Amino acid sequence: MQNKKIYSRLFVMPAFILYTILFILPVLGGLYYSFTNWSDMKPTISFIGLDNYKEIFFSSGSYLKSIYHTLSFTLYTVVFKLGIGLVLALLLNEGLKTKKVLRTVFFLPYMLSPLIIGIIFISILGPDGPLNMVLRFIGLDHLTHSWLTDKNFVLGSTMGVEIWRMAGWNMVIILAGLQTISKSYYEAAALDGAGRWKQFTQITIPFLIPTLMIATILNIIHGLRVFEIIYALTNGGPGDLTEVINTQVYKEFSTGRYGMSNALSMVAFIFTLMIAYLIKLVSSREEASS
Amino acid sequence: MSSSNKNKWVNKIFASVALIGLLTGCGSSESNSNSTTTSSANAPDSATTKKSAVTITVATSANWTKDIDKELAKDFEAQTGNKIEFLISPDDQYVNVLKSKFQTGEGPDVYLTPSGVAMEQFLPDQHALDLSNEPWVSRYADWAKAGTTYNGKVIALNTWSVDGWGVLYNPALFEQAGLTVPTNYQEFVKVCEALLAKGTTPIYEPGKAEWHQEVLLNTMGSMLSKKTPGIYDQFNTNQAKLADQKDLETGLTQLKELADKGFFGKDFLSQTWENSVDAMGSGKYAMMLTYSTFQNEVLAKFPDSKADTWSMFPLPLADNKTWATSSGGIVRSINKDSKVIDAAKQYFDFLAKTENLKKYYAARPDLGPISFTDVEGKTSNAYTSVITNATDGTGLDFEGGVKFWNQSVIGKLVQDLYLGGKTPKQVLEAIDSDRAKMFQ
């Protein structure tokens, strides 16, 4: 019995050591440096307590704006990515002849690098880009905008690109969840006279909740870690209209303010941890109660 | 062919492609995508040379190293046997990469930086070798020596050029419209209004390029330093604030006014620097804030544009009449921790040879006045005219004279000004606040 316990611990050790070296120690290092004034302009590193965090949350700089942008980017993209992913999954779970091709087509954007997507969409969303050309062609001139520089649309445009990129990925996750629901439930419900909407709300959604929870958590993590798509599309601009936490981290690092860069990373890390933990808590309770 | 056979063939083809890719990746042990090692068929072959030959790593931003730099590196290798390996980083990542390399003790043997006060961000005390006693220093032009001197020591080799940013315009277009060179802001507005009335967009402004927005403010540096002698020193010791300088506030207010009046065109925030040659060559725009050799680039692409006849005047924000110039462009320093210092010095001697300088400048039509006195210079029409039009003379711009002058931060703040997110005063306060962090 004792040997069995030792063996299990021994087997876990390599993974634990690797995880400690590659993840836990860097995070602890980052946490420590977030309390310092580490900068490439200073020969020494001094402990400055919570000064970096005070500057993030109480200064008039653009840090708070970037946190707000990150949270709203996450919120809107999660809702639409999941919503569109769900609709696509429901459509392509049916007996369409072209469903395999369509699944691949919708999943393709996820396989492209966000940087390449960014470069492509800079052209598409430009003042004389294809999107405005199409709008003009169909007589909707009043809807044309400079999507990536108009202060009313720029953040929404970056969200739109992210939703386009990730909706297919959500579709695949939800499709996998749909495949696990036995057809017999639908057959029994149909015999009892339940319509499509009733079947959707009473069978599909309840059985999909664990899948949707996982997809939500992963989408939130993706949303809070957003960087490449913003960097490629707008670089946080114009002004600071699309600045998010990770573009700020990148800029602070570029200017050699490593202490502040680590503090901002910690803020993103703690937000991600808290939200993911809350959702996990809620889903665990719901699973336990059901 | 059956379906399963087809699948097998497809699998085999994919496996072969993957294997070739893998082997190609493994095979490239001496170079990677970010480094370019020069090689030459004419390299010395003697056993002695091979034994003593070394590789000198040169860290550079992509746009700072041109074909002629690589050609000269090959010539150097052919002559000495020593190889030059360029470590090229994308422009927007170079500073970050170089600083990281120094932080981790993996600094390159030679590294490129902007000249003047901007060299300080790379901690010359810790990293830059003193080159004051190198033979080529005595041949330096005054501005080149000043722009590569830190704490009384020459720490870099400059083969670039001194230049500044002014308003390039087509005199023929002005003549047709009965316009003359504006000498103050109000005259400038009238010129823009007249051009706009004739259906020409007055100014091509690449609003998407953050750094170009910073340049607009940068042009007011020399005016300020002439009006308030010693102000740069006060900025550099954090004793003066930009927000307290009325001229700068006025200049930014006027800049916003130019944008609001439509002088930059509609959607100018979508316009890129990369499109600037085409924009000016097309004749759709009458003026542009650019450097004095820009007209050569337009002429090269649009031979019928007569761009060589274009002239320049200082941007008259806050009635500026001075031409703000750089401290001398991009320069090369030697890492004092390098293990191949002698070879690196030999490389600098080679680059500073008169014949090599002539070859270099001949291949660089974008460079103006030359950093060495014994090589004949060349200046564009824009350069000659802006000197004439700058009735209050020339002086060092903010970038060359003020520490912690962050192009990206300032550019974003100016964009925010256009969008109405910040007032001119708030823009200046935000720049002060950003600079103050670096003094802490």
Side-chain angles (χ1 to χ4, degrees):
Chain A
M1 193 67 184
Q2 186 64 28
N3 277 348
K4 277 185 181 174
K5 276 188 180 172
I6 291 170
Y7 276 131
S8 63
R9 282 172 193 165
L10 279 176
F11 278 120
V12 166
M13 279 314 270
F16 180 72
I17 291 168
L18 274 177
Y19 188 73
T20 306
I21 294 171
L22 297 176
F23 183 74
I24 295 176
L25 288 181
V27 168
L28 291 176
L31 182 66
Y32 167 73
Y33 285 118
S34 74
F35 297 116
T36 68
N37 65 348
W38 183 22
S39 154
D40 66 1
M41 296 305 295
K42 292 183 178 66
T44 55
I45 302 173
S46 312
F47 185 79
I48 55 167
L50 290 169
D51 284 4
N52 286 330
Y53 291 95
K54 281 182 196 161
E55 196 179 329
I56 292 169
F57 290 105
F58 301 109
S59 78
S60 58
S62 56
Y63 301 123
L64 268 183
K65 263 192 192 172
S66 66
I67 292 173
Y68 171 75
H69 291 157
T70 309
L71 293 177
S72 68
F73 184 95
T74 306
L75 177 71
Y76 286 109
T77 54
V78 167
V79 170
F80 282 98
K81 282 190 280 192
L82 274 175
I84 295 171
L86 179 62
V87 171
L88 288 175
L90 289 170
L91 287 173
L92 299 179
N93 196 36
E94 297 296 323
L96 285 173
K97 276 186 182 174
T98 53
K99 68 181 180 187
K100 283 186 180 170
V101 176
L102 288 173
R103 281 177 191 175
T104 311
V105 167
F106 286 119
F107 189 67
L108 266 178
Y110 179 70
M111 293 163 73
L112 290 172
S113 154
L115 293 175
I116 292 169
I117 290 174
I119 291 164
I120 293 169
F121 270 89
I122 285 173
S123 302
I124 293 174
L125 301 174
D128 299 317
L131 178 60
N132 281 346
M133 281 165 69
V134 170
L135 288 172
R136 285 188 198 111
F137 183 73
I138 57 175
L140 297 173
D141 294 52
H142 61 287
L143 291 182
T144 59
H145 295 284
S146 183
W147 300 98
L148 293 177
T149 51
D150 188 317
K151 63 180 175 184
N152 298 315
F153 292 96
V154 62
L155 189 60
S157 300
T158 60
M159 289 176 190
V161 176
E162 174 69 359
I163 291 163
W164 175 84
R165 187 175 82 90
M166 294 293 290
W169 180 82
N170 280 276
M171 174 199 74
V172 169
I173 303 265
I174 296 167
L175 259 176
L178 286 172
Q179 313 273 315
T180 62
I181 306 173
S182 169
K183 293 236 183 306
S184 59
Y185 293 122
Y186 294 103
E187 288 163 5
L191 283 175
D192 290 342
R196 303 276 283 188
W197 178 249
K198 197 84 173 167
Q199 288 178 24
F200 175 68
T201 55
Q202 301 298 317
I203 299 170
T204 311
I205 290 294
F207 276 104
L208 267 185
I209 280 177
T211 307
L212 291 173
M213 281 295 178
I214 288 168
T216 307
I217 292 173
L218 292 174
N219 278 315
I220 287 172
I221 292 170
H222 278 148
L224 292 172
R225 286 169 51 197
V226 60
F227 173 68
E228 300 105 313
I229 205 82
I230 298 270
Y231 179 73
L233 278 171
T234 62
N235 194 22
D240 56 7
L241 290 178
T242 55
E243 208 73 80
V244 289
I245 295 175
N246 281 330
T247 53
Q248 291 275 24
V249 169
Y250 179 77
K251 274 159 202 165
E252 291 296 330
F253 191 82
S254 301
T255 49
R257 296 185 69 222
Y258 307 122
M260 174 55 85
S261 181
N262 274 297
L264 280 163
S265 295
M266 279 299 135
V267 170
F269 177 71
I270 290 163
F271 270 127
T272 312
L273 211 62
M274 274 167 47
I275 294 172
Y277 181 73
L278 274 175
I279 292 173
K280 188 79 184 70
L281 204 67
V282 172
S283 67
S284 302
R285 278 186 188 167
E286 283 194 4
E287 272 176 32
S289 64
S290 64
Chain B
M1 196 183 283
S2 71
S3 167
S4 66
N5 274 348
K6 267 184 191 172
N7 285 342
K8 275 182 188 172
W9 273 104
V10 170
N11 288 343
K12 278 178 186 173
I13 290 166
F14 274 116
S16 307
V17 170
L19 187 64
I20 291 165
L22 194 67
L23 291 174
T24 312
C26 294
S28 57
S29 59
E30 291 206 357
S31 67
N32 57 44
S33 60
N34 291 327
S35 69
T36 315
T37 310
T38 63
S39 60
S40 170
N42 302 324
D45 201 25
S46 73
T48 324
T49 313
K50 272 190 175 173
K51 198 177 175 184
S52 60
V54 295
T55 297
I56 304 163
T57 54
V58 179
T60 173
S61 182
N63 247 326
W64 295 352
T65 293
K66 314 284 182 186
D67 289 345
I68 184 64
D69 293 290
K70 291 172 187 168
E71 203 179 309
L72 285 169
K74 278 184 186 175
D75 293 348
F76 173 70
E77 186 186 334
Q79 202 173 93
T80 65
N82 293 327
K83 284 184 179 176
I84 301 294
E85 183 180 3
F86 289 105
L87 308 171
I88 301 172
S89 301
D91 292 334
D92 58 346
Q93 291 168 29
Y94 174 66
V95 171
N96 205 0
V97 169
L98 182 59
K99 284 181 177 178
S100 302
K101 279 182 181 291
F102 279 132
Q103 284 279 337
T104 53
E106 294 171 354
D109 301 313
V110 173
Y111 58 98
L112 276 68
T113 69
S115 55
V117 75
M119 294 190 298
E120 291 186 31
Q121 65 177 311
F122 299 97
L123 307 181
D125 283 329
Q126 287 179 37
H127 304 303
L129 189 73
D130 181 2
L131 302 170
S132 305
N133 296 322
E134 293 306 300
W136 41 263
V137 172
S138 61
R139 294 158 47 221
Y140 249 161
D142 289 344
W143 60 263
K145 190 171 182 179
T148 52
T149 300
Y150 170 75
N151 279 351
K153 296 173 190 166
V154 172
I155 58 163
L157 168 69
N158 187 341
T159 59
W160 210 267
S161 173
V162 69
D163 205 347
W165 295 77
V167 182
L168 186 70
Y169 71 102
N170 182 348
L173 207 65
F174 269 41
E175 213 169 289
Q176 283 166 20
L179 300 169
T180 53
V181 172
T183 55
N184 57 45
Y185 175 71
Q186 287 311 325
E187 287 179 19
F188 186 56
V189 169
K190 280 179 186 160
V191 165
C192 291
E193 282 169 346
L195 289 164
L196 200 59
K198 282 192 166 290
T200 306
T201 308
I203 303 161
Y204 180 77
E205 178 48 50
K208 194 173 167 67
E210 290 163 6
W211 62 267
H212 199 268
Q213 307 318 303
E214 173 272 330
V215 171
L216 290 155
L217 183 64
N218 192 34
T219 57
M220 289 188 270
S222 58
M223 171 185 68
L224 190 69
S225 64
K226 278 187 189 296
K227 281 188 181 177
T228 319
I231 190 74
Y232 281 7
D233 288 336
Q234 290 177 45
F235 286 140
N236 289 337
T237 48
N238 204 21
Q239 290 173 332
K241 299 283 179 203
L242 293 163
D244 296 334
Q245 314 306 318
K246 283 286 167 208
D247 280 335
L248 297 184
E249 194 180 340
T250 306
L252 286 178
T253 307
Q254 293 171 345
L255 181 62
K256 170 98 165 78
E257 194 177 59
L258 295 176
D260 290 345
K261 282 177 179 278
F263 296 156
F264 297 160
K266 198 188 167 204
D267 296 329
F268 75 96
L269 284 171
S270 301
Q271 293 175 171
T272 61
W273 168 259
E274 287 72 21
N275 193 42
S276 55
V277 169
D278 288 338
M280 290 303 287
S282 70
K284 288 179 189 165
Y285 299 86
M287 298 180 279
M288 181 184 172
L289 181 75
T290 187
Y291 43 85
S292 72
T293 53
F294 183 83
Q295 60 192 148
N296 299 338
E297 294 170 47
V298 178
L299 189 69
K301 194 161 184 185
F302 297 91
D304 299 332
S305 63
K306 296 183 180 172
D308 52 335
T309 63
W310 293 358
S311 300
M312 188 175 264
F313 58 86
L315 181 66
L317 291 177
D319 294 341
N320 170 39
K321 292 179 182 65
T322 68
W323 190 44
T325 61
S326 72
S327 50
I330 305 303
V331 296
R332 303 171 183 84
S333 291
I334 297 176
N335 181 357
K336 62 163 67 164
D337 294 328
S338 166
K339 291 185 173 62
V340 293
I341 285 177
D342 288 340
K345 283 185 176 178
Q346 195 183 15
Y347 176 48
F348 280 19
D349 288 342
F350 175 83
L351 293 176
K353 279 183 181 172
T354 308
E355 64 269 26
N356 289 333
L357 286 170
K358 281 181 181 169
K359 188 175 177 181
Y360 178 80
Y361 283 109
R364 292 289 307 268
D366 58 316
L367 297 181
I370 290 169
S371 54
F372 284 86
T373 50
D374 55 344
V375 181
E376 197 180 336
K378 52 176 179 179
T379 50
S380 64
N381 193 52
Y383 184 87
T384 316
S385 56
V386 75
I387 294 288
T388 310
N389 290 326
T391 50
D392 286 351
T394 64
L396 199 58
D397 59 17
F398 280 129
E399 275 178 42
V402 176
K403 279 205 283 191
F404 311 132
W405 188 262
N406 189 319
Q407 272 198 333
S408 175
V409 169
I410 297 170
K412 275 188 176 298
L413 289 166
V414 175
Q415 285 179 334
D416 217 5
L417 172 80
Y418 298 138
L419 294 165
K422 280 193 168 55
T423 63
K425 182 90 172 169
Q426 285 170 334
V427 168
L428 296 169
E429 284 170 350
I431 300 170
D432 283 330
S433 165
D434 184 70
R435 291 186 66 246
K437 288 176 203 167
M438 305 306 283
F439 285 105
Q440 284 166 8

